[in-house]
Amino acid sequence: MSIRQILLIGHTHHDVGYTNSPRLVDRMHARIVDRVLDLADEHATAGTDGFRWTFEVARPVLSFLQHATSDRIARLAELSRSGAVSVTGGYLDMTQLPSAFELDAAYDQLERIREAGIGIRTQQHGDVNGLSWGTVDQMTDAGITRLVMALNPDHGRPPFVQPSGFRWEGPTGRSVFVWLSTHYGFGEEWGIVDVEPAEERIAAFVGELERRDDYPWGTAVVHAGNDNRWPTALFLDVVRHWNTRHPELPMRTATIDEAMDELEAELEAEAEAEAEAAGEGFEVPTVRGEWADWWSHGHGSTAREVAVYREARTFARAAQSTLSLARLAGGTSAPMFDVLGYRRGPVRLRTDDEIADDLEHVDEQLLLYGEHTWGSWETYSKPHSTFSHSHHNATSAFAYNAFDHARDLAIEGWFRYAYAGGGTQDPSTHGAIVVVNPTEAPRREVVDVEVAGTRRVRLRADVGPFEVAVLAVPAPAAEKEAADGPIAAGVYLVTVDPARGGVVSLVDTTDGRELVDATAAAPLGAVVDEIVEAGSRHPMITQSPKLFHPDHPGPVFERVVATGDGPVRVSRSAGVTQIRWETSAPGIPSVVTTLVVADGAADIDLEVRIGKPERFVPESVLVTFPFAAAEPEFLLETAGAVFAADREQLPDTSRDWYSIQHAVGVSGRDGGILWGSTDAPLVQVGGHHTGRWADALEVTGGHVNSWLMNNLHFTNFQTRQEVTRRFRYRFRPVPVATAADVRRLGRDLLEPLHARHSVAPPTAPPRPPIEVTPSDSVLLELRPVDGGVRARLRNITGDEVTASVSRDGHRVSVAVPAAGTADVLFDTQG
């Protein structure tokens, strides 16, 4: 295909940090909009070299709308309608960390932009190598039908040749048109300021496109952008210079919306022409599945902070649910306690407006942490610089800010709902454990609760949908050394060998099934230190860490299992068995592992507490779960969807590692396993894969390896990794692991039972104010909204479900599309 036009897209690539501290950059982003308005007034938009601009992400415009005068907002809307400016629909350039409820909060904010008269049809994404599959449906729900991925192939590879176009089909069958563009910085390399190099390099680029048999477009799209570039009109000179020298191939400025309109129109015209000539038209590929992000190994660069972020969003969901339940139950709004603190209620309960503001603040902080900028340009090369530490502190603050506010909201929500029935018992010596189930389904799980600030207890809680249970505080249990042989724990027989590093046998006595693969190199729950083999000549070691890359397979890693020679200790209390052992490795001096099983429960909880000093050599730390499963397939939970690893993925996306939300299903010929991680999102499935750079998943068994941390980077991420914290897991055997099972386990880990010790427990816990059916097919997310409560139903099946939500005998029925969502609004002010 001959190229007939070149479109130059002026924009800024938005990093919340990297080029400078996030404290400065995020504030400057808001000022970008004012600068664009000034440049638009200074440079006429008519003609090929008129000033046109694309806001790569929505956050700067949202910030602008909060402080701008009405005439400035009107001017932005006018430029949008005229085609001089495009506003795109992605909140920021996000990683695969955020959950569906976080992304919903981001897309919901687009209405503020549309209310200002500014249209949004396209989402633009820069740098990151992938997106969660469920975002396809969230985009279409938000009125976005096109996606531009200006993918950066460092430490990864694109699913198709850049640039290319294809359709990406979401879980519901709806799709978006994707333009897999060049890396946004590619245009910068052409020299948007230096016109001579730009002419030479653009000509070469056009030549490459014309030589491709798989490029049916007559348009070449060029990005004139770079990291946090302050808006400039200098790229207009490139257009003028080129058109003077190449009148046969015009170049013009364009917004990304205009470019996508051109590309889609050409595709449609090409299809019609081919259909008329040959009876069939040209079709771009349609692909379905996860765009698994190669860059997601960076989630392991800050294990502590990622765990804090995940805690924060758990508190956020707890807050939204319990505050909603209290509102639906019509609970008291009077203060119940007189000290603001962790174990006592707040001095003053928030007003509805304060709750709305604080929940929105938590949304913002979670999204800012889920953005793709982890560190500065010198974080890796200058790890000890003050700037590197300042940047890390500022980025981490988003997670901690979200944690502080969400935790406080969740505590208030717990008090509001647990005591909504009125009345408290007189303070007693022991008090009680008060447990709130914030979900639509009955729950049976072990809760871990701090009692009076002096000790922690574990007990099994059985709580019905939206119920509040009051349970006795269990007596302390003495810890004893285990006798030789298997340890009976609930329905399981557990054999732990600290000399090998963990659980070497785990038998389900209900059917005799052995859950642990005895042939695995490390047992279940073992901590593995993974380092590059001594004397490696891999180019990432001898030349540059940037060469940890698919073009350079490897390096080879050595794996050292943390082991111990101490005893295995067992304690039993209130029907809960805890099995504890200690191990260590040369680079990991302290590991304390506890396996927890409750009588009458199928779930097995595992907690791994690690104390690890920093090291600056390339390394990884993993916790191994070598499940015995013949011919396994792995189902992984991503934001808003579940996908089959390898089978439901875009081509050339990451198979070596995955960033999950919480849950994995292992389906084998002789049975399945449901497994989930509370604190760490990275997994390697089917075996160890670091450095393989495989284009197909290599499976050696039903193994799930939780990849806690790594420092296999060259910029943006931390050079070293140290951590002292716990990492929590839950798993159980099942006959067959289904996608719906994976979604529910993931939700249950995101929204656990909310349990607290109270010295004055409620005398009359509230009756559940709502009921949801069918509770096995939908998940319910509650959130306070203006004047009431929003109930968002998520269908976890592949079929349309007619669901109903009942309140005070009034039943509302709603059709929830397969794998889709539907909302029910409750007025709580009437």
Side-chain angles (χ1 to χ4, degrees), residues 119-205:
I120 299 174
R121 297 181 292 143
T122 306
Q123 179 165 329
Q124 186 168 336
H125 209 65
D127 250 5
V128 186
N129 274 221
L131 279 174
S132 300
W133 188 19
T135 57
V136 176
D137 289 318
Q138 290 180 292
M139 277 188 271
T140 54
D141 286 340
I144 298 168
T145 59
R146 299 99 62 92
L147 169 66
V148 178
M149 287 287 281
L151 183 150
N152 184 341
D154 288 339
H155 280 208
R157 54 185 176 232
F160 299 100
V161 178
Q162 294 174 266
S164 290
F166 62 92
R167 296 206 68 83
W168 186 15
E169 185 177 293
T172 66
R174 296 176 293 174
S175 64
V176 294
F177 174 59
V178 178
W179 184 248
L180 178 60
S181 197
T182 60
H183 174 37
Y184 65 86
F186 192 35
E188 180 74 6
E189 292 174 2
W190 293 339
I192 66 167
V193 177
D194 194 342
V195 296
E196 297 291 344
E199 177 189 2
E200 179 181 346
R201 293 166 187 169
I202 292 173
F205 175 66

Side-chain angles (χ1 to χ4, degrees), residues 620-796:
S620 300
V621 178
L622 306 99
V623 180
T624 60
F625 294 85
F627 296 120
E631 302 173 9
E633 180 175 69
F634 298 90
L635 300 175
L636 280 65
E637 182 199 15
T638 188
V642 170
F643 68 97
D646 199 37
R647 180 167 58 85
E648 291 184 304
Q649 288 185 234
L650 274 60
D652 280 331
T653 55
S654 178
R655 268 80 172 169
D656 287 5
W657 52 75
Y658 300 94
S659 180
I660 63 168
Q661 283 299 304
H662 287 91
V664 173
V666 184
S667 291
R669 186 181 60 221
D670 302 321
I673 294 283
L674 290 174
W675 176 95
S677 169
T678 299
D679 305 291
L682 287 176
V683 295
Q684 298 183 15
V685 298
H688 292 279
H689 303 301
T690 316
R692 297 251 179 117
W693 304 107
D695 56 9
L697 181 62
E698 302 172 16
V699 175
T700 58
H703 303 180
V704 179
N705 295 321
S706 175
W707 200 13
L708 297 185
M709 60 192 83
N710 69 82
N711 61 345
L712 305 174
H713 317 282
F714 68 94
T715 188
N716 191 29
F717 303 102
Q718 297 296 310
T719 316
R720 81 289 185 273
Q721 182 68 260
E722 57 78 29
V723 73
T724 301
R725 79 166 285 127
R726 65 176 181 171
F727 297 91
R728 295 163 292 171
Y729 305 94
R730 177 171 295 163
F731 59 95
R732 64 176 176 267
V734 291
V736 178
T738 68
D741 293 334
V742 172
R743 286 291 294 274
R744 186 168 294 280
L745 175 60
R747 191 285 304 275
D748 289 351
L749 290 171
L750 172 64
E751 299 186 56
L753 295 179
H754 191 174
R756 294 176 60 82
H757 172 250
S758 175
V759 296
T763 55
R767 294 179 56 192
I770 57 172
E771 180 185 1
V772 178
T773 58
S775 61
D776 59 343
S777 301
V778 295
L779 307 177
L780 186 71
E781 293 174 4
L782 297 170
R783 180 173 180 129
V785 295
D786 186 22
V789 169
R790 183 191 72 195
R792 176 157 290 170
L793 296 144
R794 293 192 186 275
N795 185 348
I796 58 175

Side-chain angles (χ1 to χ4, degrees), residues 122-452:
T122 306
Q123 179 165 329
Q124 186 168 336
H125 209 65
D127 250 5
V128 186
N129 274 221
L131 279 174
S132 300
W133 188 19
T135 57
V136 176
D137 289 318
Q138 290 180 292
M139 277 188 271
T140 54
D141 286 340
I144 298 168
T145 59
R146 299 99 62 92
L147 169 66
V148 178
M149 287 287 281
L151 183 150
N152 184 341
D154 288 339
H155 280 208
R157 54 185 176 232
F160 299 100
V161 178
Q162 294 174 266
S164 290
F166 62 92
R167 296 206 68 83
W168 186 15
E169 185 177 293
T172 66
R174 296 176 293 174
S175 64
V176 294
F177 174 59
V178 178
W179 184 248
L180 178 60
S181 197
T182 60
H183 174 37
Y184 65 86
F186 192 35
E188 180 74 6
E189 292 174 2
W190 293 339
I192 66 167
V193 177
D194 194 342
V195 296
E196 297 291 344
E199 177 189 2
E200 179 181 346
R201 293 166 187 169
I202 292 173
F205 175 66
V206 169
E208 291 173 6
L209 294 180
E210 292 184 330
R211 288 189 292 272
R212 283 175 51 182
D213 294 331
D214 61 345
Y215 192 86
W217 288 273
T219 297
V221 177
V222 177
H223 292 270
N226 206 342
D227 297 342
N228 292 331
R229 172 170 293 284
W230 187 244
T232 177
L234 291 174
F235 65 95
L236 306 182
D237 292 337
V238 174
V239 177
R240 298 171 187 131
H241 178 82
W242 176 273
N243 287 335
T244 299
R245 301 285 294 272
H246 301 276
E248 78 289 353
L249 179 57
M251 177 188 293
R252 61 188 175 92
T253 58
T255 66
I256 201 64
D257 276 331
E258 184 180 2
M260 293 298 284
D261 289 343
E262 289 276 354
L263 293 168
E264 287 189 300
E266 283 189 44
L267 192 62
E268 184 177 345
E270 179 76 10
E272 291 176 355
E274 290 197 18
E276 184 175 337
E280 58 182 25
F282 175 84
E283 292 186 9
V284 297
T286 297
V287 292
R288 176 181 172 86
E290 179 78 351
W291 197 330
D293 183 8
W294 285 105
W295 272 29
S296 67
H297 66 312
H299 300 175
S301 69
T302 51
R304 178 187 292 107
E305 291 76 13
V306 167
V308 170
Y309 154 79
R310 287 164 73 89
E311 279 190 281
R313 64 189 199 162
T314 285
F315 278 128
R317 280 299 311 133
Q320 292 175 18
S321 296
T322 53
L323 289 167
S324 295
L325 289 167
R327 190 174 287 187
L328 290 167
T332 178
S333 61
M336 295 166 289
F337 296 84
D338 60 1
V339 174
L340 179 64
Y342 181 70
R343 289 183 295 276
R344 303 187 213 178
V347 172
R348 179 183 61 86
L349 301 181
R350 293 169 175 84
T351 65
D352 288 352
D353 287 343
E354 288 174 319
I355 287 173
D357 288 345
D358 287 350
L359 288 175
E360 191 168 302
H361 176 75
V362 171
D363 291 338
E364 176 188 57
Q365 297 301 301
L366 289 173
L367 290 166
L368 283 167
Y369 189 78
E371 187 264 354
H372 76 292
T373 311
W374 298 79
S376 76
W377 64 272
E378 67 173 38
T379 295
Y380 194 93
S381 59
K382 300 176 182 178
H384 297 298
S385 74
T386 302
F387 176 56
S388 292
H389 282 278
S390 175
H391 194 297
H392 176 68
N393 179 279
T395 302
S396 301
F398 296 136
Y400 284 101
N401 197 323
F403 173 88
D404 287 343
H405 285 84
R407 171 177 165 271
D408 199 54
L409 282 162
I411 292 170
E412 178 176 332
W414 180 90
F415 276 114
R416 281 178 179 268
Y417 184 52
Y419 292 86
T424 62
Q425 298 178 21
D426 292 333
S428 64
T429 303
H430 301 292
I433 306 297
V434 182
V435 187
V436 174
N437 178 356
T439 65
E440 75 297 319
R443 303 280 287 273
R444 169 180 289 181
E445 58 195 56
V446 173
V447 294
D448 180 4
V449 184
E450 182 183 74
V451 176

